[in-house]
Amino acid sequence: MKTLSGTDLSVQIGALRLKNPLIAASGCFGYGVEYAEAVDLSTLGGVAVKGLFLKEREGHPPERIVETPSGMLNAIGLQGIGVHRFIREKLPELRQLRATVIVNICGSTLDEYVELARILSDAEGVAALELNISCPNIKEGGITFGCSLHGTFDVVSAVKKVTPLPVIPKLTPNVTDVASFARASEEAGADAVSLVNTFLAMAIDVETRRPKLSNIVGGLSGPAIRPIAVRMVYECRRAVKIPVIGMGGIASARDMLEFIIAGATAVQVGTANFVDPFIWGKLLAGVTDYVRRHNIARISDLVGTIDTTSREKQWISS
Amino acid sequence: MKTLSGTDLSVQIGALRLKNPLIAASGCFGYGVEYAEAVDLSTLGGVAVKGLFLKEREGHPPERIVETPSGMLNAIGLQGIGVHRFIREKLPELRQLRATVIVNICGSTLDEYVELARILSDAEGVAALELNISCPNIKEGGITFGCSLHGTFDVVSAVKKVTPLPVIPKLTPNVTDVASFARASEEAGADAVSLVNTFLAMAIDVETRRPKLSNIVGGLSGPAIRPIAVRMVYECRRAVKIPVIGMGGIASARDMLEFIIAGATAVQVGTANFVDPFIWGKLLAGVTDYVRRHNIARISDLVGTIDTTSREKQWISS
Amino acid sequence: MLRDVEARVIRNTRLSRDYNVIALAAPEIAEATQPGQFVMVKSGRGGDPLLRRPFSVFEVLRSNNRVEGLTLLSKRVGVTTKILYDAVEGDTISCLGPLGRPFDLVDPPTEAWMVAGGVGLAPFATLGDALLAHGVKTTLFYGARTGGELFYLDWFTSRGIRLVLATEDGSIGDKARITIPLDRELQEADGEVVIYACGPEPMLEAVAHVAAKHKRTSQVSVERTMGCGMGGCYSCVIQVRSEAGSERTRPAHYVRSCIAGPVFKGEDLVWD
Amino acid sequence: MLRDVEARVIRNTRLSRDYNVIALAAPEIAEATQPGQFVMVKSGRGGDPLLRRPFSVFEVLRSNNRVEGLTLLSKRVGVTTKILYDAVEGDTISCLGPLGRPFDLVDPPTEAWMVAGGVGLAPFATLGDALLAHGVKTTLFYGARTGGELFYLDWFTSRGIRLVLATEDGSIGDKARITIPLDRELQEADGEVVIYACGPEPMLEAVAHVAAKHKRTSQVSVERTMGCGMGGCYSCVIQVRSEAGSERTRPAHYVRSCIAGPVFKGEDLVWD
Ligand SMILES: Cc1cc2nc3c(=O)[nH]c(=O)nc-3n(C[C@H](O)[C@H](O)[C@H](O)COP(=O)(O)OP(=O)(O)OC[C@H]3O[C@@H](n4cnc5c(N)ncnc54)[C@H](O)[C@@H]3O)c2cc1C
Ligand SMILES: Cc1cc2nc3c(=O)[nH]c(=O)nc-3n(C[C@H](O)[C@H](O)[C@H](O)COP(=O)(O)OP(=O)(O)OC[C@H]3O[C@@H](n4cnc5c(N)ncnc54)[C@H](O)[C@@H]3O)c2cc1C
Ligand SMILES: Cc1cc2nc3c(=O)[nH]c(=O)nc-3n(C[C@H](O)[C@H](O)[C@H](O)COP(=O)(O)O)c2cc1C
Ligand SMILES: Cc1cc2nc3c(=O)[nH]c(=O)nc-3n(C[C@H](O)[C@H](O)[C@H](O)COP(=O)(O)O)c2cc1C
Ligand code: FES
Ligand code: FES
């Protein structure tokens, strides 16, 4: 899809063509419908809805979030309405709003992921599945898969077998070598990988000596983590051929471009949407302006174009 | 050592008694002598000097640092004067300033760590050795040890064999399970562990598409990482009996207390010293005020006293 | 309609060492706000502080029948409220709103009794005005630690709103929690009364119980930590027994107080 | 003595769309500052921006023979310089200093030629004053992109400092880089001349070469990214051939420009 100026912002994720590389991150955009008043969902590359289990879940008791320097911790505990109510109550409205819906799914067992994938493949209006194998906040969530190469391989290949939809495992940053997880995903047939989920972290109220979150630990997101996330996207891009969807602290068009240049074919924005629900138009305008100024015909031409050569030269010369 | 009010701030690290739990972090305080005009070094629990190799090192070309949201990246590349010049040129002055000197050592091979430990054990005025097996910025640095449980075990036990000094391996946060590295260190005979070193990260100039650091990647430090560092200290404290020295983004007495309550027997302060070289007195005053307000006789009584019970009750009740 | 306005500070009045009323040039938001709704405020540059904070709309400012902006009644407890306290004319504060479910208004002859604790006074200026415009007889029960922290008393009395005051130190009104005079007066009231409450949660719980004891309905405005104010983050949840506006009861479950509230029926909430 | 002063903004004068001169009430620092030294400035609350930024001390402010404070000449390029540009009287800016090795002063009959590019003018107000106090005949070579970016010309001429100007667009002085008139005048000069320079690194390199070509010594003040300004972080390094102040030459190696500089002998630096 071209903009007026002829700039092509569209990107390809497996069989799925997104009209632009800007996706609302899971868990930071409700079920999408909550934001219809702030942004025309059809203008987004995609909307990753809040992580869904098969069943409804209550999540953790408050406090569920706490602000930290340039970031926030969350331990929501994947409160959610479950896949069936989602299909019945939210999907029709999302279809009507012409959103490109990416469903983020979570299971306690491999079979649950498979079952979720089956159910959602039959539903109308689902564009892709993002496998949340990286939520740091609940023990029974996919983190046992996400922290094991075998687990990652197994869950991705099992889900691939039962769905024609693009499958995007979402990787945790809480590992020594994230690129190996991207590789395991690729080998298992993933259409793309997305990263990063949040960093396991905690905050303590020193007056009461209690953790600030009811769950004791939570996940760190927001600008604070951006430099780590950019590095991980860079590493994954060099490790795999499938597209990398990057996220972690994006709050401006400049940040979005940083991820794309590091190697992200598309990006997601989470925490920044809490601060500015009108951010989406600003991000797209900023990126459009950049590609125009730099005479880039297709945004996909920018992906992974980080230039490390001259630095290496300088390095050798010293 | 008691303060006037009778509050005992001293803590024990192996055979070493620190007059208080506040240590200047390695690489953020030069060789200590640079800061003698700003702070009386003898008032600090310890001074961890800049990471030393056997030989002099030039380090990386500029740009070596870049600011990020509530943090900074560095890729200094361990520029340094080498252990011999250190002993000759800096140690006498540090002795004269009555600093409790912790020497941070880096090697490319196990033998280099052993050699450094030997040399420093013979020098007068070294209180402890911190093994930097976690510098993310140079390939030949100890990171190959720091990211392998065997490597960590081997380097710690080899060094322990040749030195009577307390040995404190410094752990990298760039691993899946930092507590297992604390355990490996303990089994190898470490007197304490210190953590965290910096998080491997990067930043890109989107206009030039070049990395902002000459070394491409660097280490993230500062308040941005504090919640992750606190979580890691908490995990290590529960995993080992030896003292944990915590750091990462401490910029106020409150932050320092957060680490202590999470499980740190002592703390180090790095990046915040760049912002405020007079921070040391403020931190000690703040901590003294706190222990007085809370009627805590010895700061060591506060270590690891995080109270997770009531949260768990709340959790069960919901 | 939802709007994000970079609002200029028109003036900032410090009421005490902690309390201030800040006037913001955000007429579009002010115009659309219903009593009990709130705005999400972002002050300060950069990422620290990062998140917005929720504030009830205190007054809608009018001059010559045109809406000029709105005010917030703020109590200094942390970083954002400190910035609001220190702000000077000409600063800008980003203001997102209006948000949340407002109070349900009643019609005469039902009386309205508003119960405020501390900074919980905030929603009752606009609610009081709206009730008076409906011709509803209105009382404000208003409690604070001490008399010096009871503000805007003239504002309410000059409009014909009856005041019942209580302070913990007895410096003004009853030396008691505000629920004591509330209980006493409910004991004696015979007409229809709806109770509106805003304040610390223990107070809200007490108000809901007192109201229930006297077979009166209550609408309470709760304060939970809010990350977004728009239903996006699920940080602000509170346990309810039944869906707002529905008669169907369900087991206790969490709802987002930013969109299902902040105003709830007292009897719907599960107090823990 | 090193000091950290929470300095009040005495006044802030905007010179153009990018340049401003901000006066700070930090008399203790001002008093102790030698020409060429700098301060590390922290503006803004909280962790974003996090680090201080280096600024040369521009003027030492005196009234009635008492030192009142200092000024900074700032060019807006990013977050801190924007805060300095926007600051208003009464704001506070944290100011750490004085830091760094100052310029070495010369004695008559040696002449001093100061060479400034853009905001590189900053150290030459205090240096000029100190040289004049020494009775040294002083010239300022001053280049900028355009005449509108040449500031404080009267300030220098009124003191008896000779001006040689150049602009890239030719609007004032030579239509050339400032090193062109410098080269030309050095060609003709026969007395002893020491050259002081501050500006972008390519200019400093050109100045050092021109000076060397004419067998004159130069002292150049460099600008490297500084994390601490005190020798703590090793971010600010620059390659030199010999230690400052020592005659022993060594292979090119990095030294910390915050404590070994920011002023170096032109011939000591390795230009890359
Ligand atoms: C719907 C709604 C309407 C509100 N209306 C108003 C209003 O009109 N005026 C007003 O002053 N406040 C109001 N509040 C509360 C206000 O949002 C908080 O006081 C504010 O978020 C504090 O922000 P801060 O950055 O100053 O404090 P922070 O720096 O975020 O917090 C400082 C300390 O205060 C504690 N804290 C934070 N929020 C609260 C809270 N809500 N209650 C008790 N302690 C808290 C924190 O845990 C922390 O210990 C409202 C809250 C809600 C949910
Ligand atoms: C010893 C010394 C003295 C100085 N004296 C002055 C002075 O008197 N007046 C003055 O205006 N400036 C001076 N500078 C430069 C000043 O420190 C920088 O302009 C300042 O750090 C920019 O901070 P910022 O937060 O506004 O920009 P940032 O937001 O940090 O950076 C914005 C952009 O500017 C670039 N940038 C940052 N620093 C520099 C630099 N030094 N040169 C070129 N680009 C840069 C960054 O890479 C980035 O792209 C001096 C520097 C040194 C080392
Ligand atoms: C409140 C909150 C809830 C989240 N819930 C989910 C979730 O349900 N599924 C998921 O895969 N990621 C979830 N995440 C992670 C985000 O999708 C994203 O990976 C992370 O926040 C980093 O991006 P950001 O810095 O732009 O927020 C959540 C994040 C936040 C802050
Ligand atoms: C500029 C810089 C240089 C550092 N050099 C070293 C080093 O030589 N050896 C080491 O073990 N850690 C080094 N570190 C890591 C710090 O000691 C510390 O572990 C880290 O910065 C986290 O603490 P902070 O957030 O308080 O800075 C360095 C950090 C910085 C910012
Ligand atoms: S505040 Fe985010 S869902 Fe309510
Ligand atoms: S700026 Fe830190 S060493 Fe020079």
Side-chain angles (χ1 to χ4, degrees), chain D residues 23 28 39-40 59 61 74 87 96 103 126 143 148 179 182 199 211 222 232 267 271:
Chain D
E28 313 87 332
V39 291
M40 292 292 285
E59 302 154 283
L61 294 177
S74 172
L96 176 76
F103 288 109
T126 56
T179 41
L182 176 71
V222 301
E267 58 270 32
W271 306 101

Side-chain angles (χ1 to χ4, degrees), chain B residues 24-29 48-52 64-65 72-79 104-106 130-137 170-171 194-199 219-226 229 246-251 268-274, chain D residues 232-235:
Chain B
S26 178
C28 304
F29 206 65
V49 294
K50 193 165 164 46
L52 284 173
R64 289 179 168 190
I65 65 165
M72 64 179 283
L73 304 186
N74 87 80
I76 307 298
L78 287 165
Q79 175 175 353
N104 182 277
I105 60 175
C106 326
E130 184 173 54
L131 310 187
N132 184 353
I133 51 171
S134 45
C135 175
N137 298 327
K170 181 160 173 184
L171 307 181
S194 64
L195 67 147
V196 298
N197 210 316
T198 54
F199 289 79
L220 180 63
S221 65
I225 67 170
R226 191 169 63 235
M247 77 198 85
I250 294 175
Q268 297 187 12
V269 176
T271 303
N273 173 61
F274 299 153
Chain D
C233 72
Y234 281 73
S235 67

Side-chain angles (χ1 to χ4, degrees), chain B residues 34 58 63-64 67 275, chain D residues 2 50 52 225 234 254 256:
Chain B
E34 292 88 341
E58 275 300 283
E63 295 290 308
R64 289 179 168 190
E67 185 169 309
V275 181
Chain D
L2 180 71
L50 180 68
R52 290 172 185 264
T225 304
Y234 281 73
Y254 285 120
R256 290 165 283 181

